[in-house]
Amino acid sequence: MVVEIIRYDIAPEAADSFLQAYREAGEYLTRSAHCLSYEVLGGVEEPNHFIVRIEWDSLEGHLQGFRAGPDFQPFFARVRPFYSSILEMKHYSVMSRS
């Protein structure tokens, strides 16, 4: 399993549209056999910061499975308007968990 972290800086007037985009895009994530779970986190101290955390079965499952599959294009169409607001988009390994 790998975790994809996408950090966003979203202008306050775009926050509702951003959240709606991920509500719609989430349908395509949950349909993918490669996506184990996902969540959208909102900043408490910095309300314009959001994190999207997606658990993938593997790096290959994300990059070659999901991105090459039928759900990627409709997923990306929903979130594309916020692509320029990305601060970080990386994959991580879980090193410890409670």
Side-chain angles (χ1 to χ4, degrees):
M1 177 190 70
V2 297
V3 178
E4 180 184 20
I5 300 291
I6 312 167
R7 293 187 317 114
Y8 289 90
D9 185 359
I10 302 295
E13 62 273 10
D16 288 341
S17 296
F18 172 79
L19 293 170
Q20 181 60 34
Y22 264 100
R23 277 191 285 278
E24 294 172 11
E27 294 178 34
Y28 300 100
L29 290 173
T30 57
R31 287 202 299 209
S32 172
H34 301 288
C35 179
L36 306 177
S37 69
Y38 80 95
E39 61 188 347
V40 178
L41 307 171
V44 175
E45 293 85 5
E46 297 176 292
N48 57 309
H49 284 188
F50 292 86
I51 293 175
V52 176
R53 182 183 181 281
I54 307 172
E55 291 186 3
W56 298 102
D57 60 352
S58 65
L59 185 61
E60 297 76 19
H62 174 213
L63 298 179
Q64 283 126 23
F66 179 69
R67 286 194 180 175
D71 292 319
F72 178 71
Q73 289 302 321
F75 163 82
F76 191 61
R78 272 46 175 207
V79 300
R80 179 181 291 131
F82 305 98
Y83 195 79
S84 64
S85 299
I86 292 175
L87 301 172
E88 174 189 11
M89 182 169 30
K90 304 271 188 205
H91 294 92
Y92 292 86
S93 295
V94 175
M95 307 305 286
S96 178
R97 184 178 272 196
S98 63

